[in-house]
Amino acid sequence: MSEALILTEIIGDGARRTGLITLNRPKQLNALNDALMDQLGAALLAWDADDAIGCIVITGSERAFAAGADIGAMAGYSYMDAYLGNYITRNWETVRQVRKPVIAAVSGFALGGGCELAMMCDFIIAADNANFGQPEIKLGIIPGAGGTQRLPRAVGKAKAMDMVLTARMMDAAEAERAGLVSRVVPTARLLEEALAAAALICSMGGASVMMAKQCVNRAFESGLADGVSYERQMFHALFATDDQKEGMDAFVNKRKPVFRHR
Ligand code: DAK
């Protein structure tokens, strides 16, 4: 049997529950290798297809979410290995294929590919000991999994250039001020807070959750007029769902909605 480089657990007792993925190479600070990314991708796709799962949380250890791609594994690569082998592109961006929300719960180091993985998630909740960085420049390379693109979209050009060119890390407080993370919580409460956010998402109507995610993502892939038009189509479409009827009837009749994700 292959080594468990991630741990998975289903949390909650509602109709829709949270899939929790814990990156599990603690001694290597969760350095991301090909096998780990394969296991992560498989877990993500399985839960995305599972009606009983409403939200996914990815976390690491207290010391490290992930300190980057495994440097030892890529140290010997030649240009031809990387280019012709389409270096690990195959399994690195699976999280972007997931239609349900994915939350990164980040404690400790989120560096290089670790920071990029967190940024591929829908939002990041940071522990107060978190440190984010794109230190690839110190290795003679540059970010390779979207860091030069997603970081400036999150924190602006000035801070992104600073981090990518000098390799300096951003702590949790700065990351929150800059807009990289949605909230900062005490380290000991990180998982509790992330799972509480996930449980709230699980309690909402599944279609509206997925469409809301699609629409917000569209803001980064289109101009304003196109994005608003896209949002309008999704908005109209939701009036065809049972959950819209249930949500509004529940409000009018002062009761809690029971969404059926249809
Ligand atoms: N890879 C492999 N091992 C790592 C590692 C990494 N990224 N980071 C840490 N480790 C290992 C250390 O080697 C050490 O192992 P032992 O010596 O105990 O065997 C162990 O984890 C503990 O680390 P330290 O002893 O160094 O711990 P410290 O607290 O002193 O320092 C640190 C923590 C995070 C500051 C330091 O470990 C560090 O600087 N790590 C490297 C950070 C880094 O440079 N990360 C960027 C890597 S490049 C792509 C996708 C992704 C990427 C590229 C392309 N495509 C899809 C095309 C991503 C590239 C990268 O991430």
Side-chain angles (χ1 to χ4, degrees):
M1 229 176 87
S2 59
E3 199 186 349
L5 301 172
I6 61 165
L7 305 175
T8 59
E9 193 181 345
I10 294 176
I11 312 274
D13 48 17
R16 294 200 127 192
R17 295 187 265 170
T18 299
L20 172 66
I21 298 174
T22 305
L23 307 176
N24 186 39
R25 295 186 79 205
K27 286 193 190 118
Q28 295 83 12
L29 305 186
N30 291 326
L32 304 167
N33 62 19
D34 207 31
L36 187 153
M37 295 314 283
D38 270 342
Q39 292 179 22
L40 176 63
L44 287 167
L45 293 180
W47 278 340
D48 201 32
D50 183 344
D51 271 351
I53 299 293
C55 187
I56 299 169
V57 173
I58 303 178
T59 197
S61 67
E62 184 173 325
R63 194 169 162 215
F65 176 74
D70 191 314
I71 299 169
M74 61 184 163
Y77 268 60
S78 68
Y79 168 74
M80 278 308 177
D81 293 332
Y83 180 71
L84 293 180
N86 198 14
Y87 171 50
I88 57 177
T89 302
R90 170 181 72 76
N91 55 0
W92 264 78
E93 296 199 302
T94 310
V95 65
R96 297 306 309 155
Q97 296 168 31
V98 176
R99 298 174 76 205
K100 292 171 185 168
V102 183
I103 302 172
V106 173
S107 179
F109 297 110
L111 303 179
C115 187
E116 290 169 309
L117 173 63
M119 289 191 291
M120 282 181 224
C121 296
D122 295 308
F123 62 98
I124 302 172
I125 298 181
D128 53 16
N129 75 340
N131 275 294
F132 298 86
Q134 297 290 161
E136 290 89 341
I137 202 90
K138 289 202 290 188
L139 301 170
I141 57 169
I142 62 171
T148 62
Q149 305 304 302
R150 292 195 179 93
L151 190 61
R153 281 169 169 78
V155 305
K157 177 182 167 186
K159 278 186 188 288
M161 281 288 189
D162 185 359
M163 290 170 73
V164 168
L165 295 178
T166 71
R168 94 166 166 89
M169 290 189 224
M170 191 184 261
D171 67 17
E174 184 181 2
E176 187 183 28
R177 283 198 304 278
L180 180 60
V181 310
S182 67
R183 38 180 136 157
V184 178
V185 301
T187 299
R189 292 223 329 265
L190 174 67
L191 205 50
E192 186 189 328
E193 296 274 350
L195 291 173
L200 263 179
I201 291 169
C202 287
S203 74
M204 310 294 177
S208 54
V209 163
M210 289 201 300
M211 287 192 201
K213 166 171 170 163
Q214 263 176 277
C215 286
V216 174
N217 280 334
R218 188 76 172 207
F220 295 93
E221 281 147 22
S222 67
L224 181 61
D226 178 60
V228 170
S229 153
Y230 189 78
E231 178 198 78
R232 197 61 38 82
Q233 290 166 47
M234 296 286 173
F235 178 79
H236 289 160
L238 284 165
F239 284 84
T241 63
D242 295 345
D243 285 347
Q244 174 269 329
K245 304 283 174 293
E246 170 64 10
M248 294 195 181
D249 183 75
F251 180 82
V252 169
N253 291 299
K254 302 191 185 306
R255 63 176 176 83
K256 275 189 118 180
V258 181
F259 292 120
R260 291 176 37 245
H261 316 295
R262 288 284 179 271

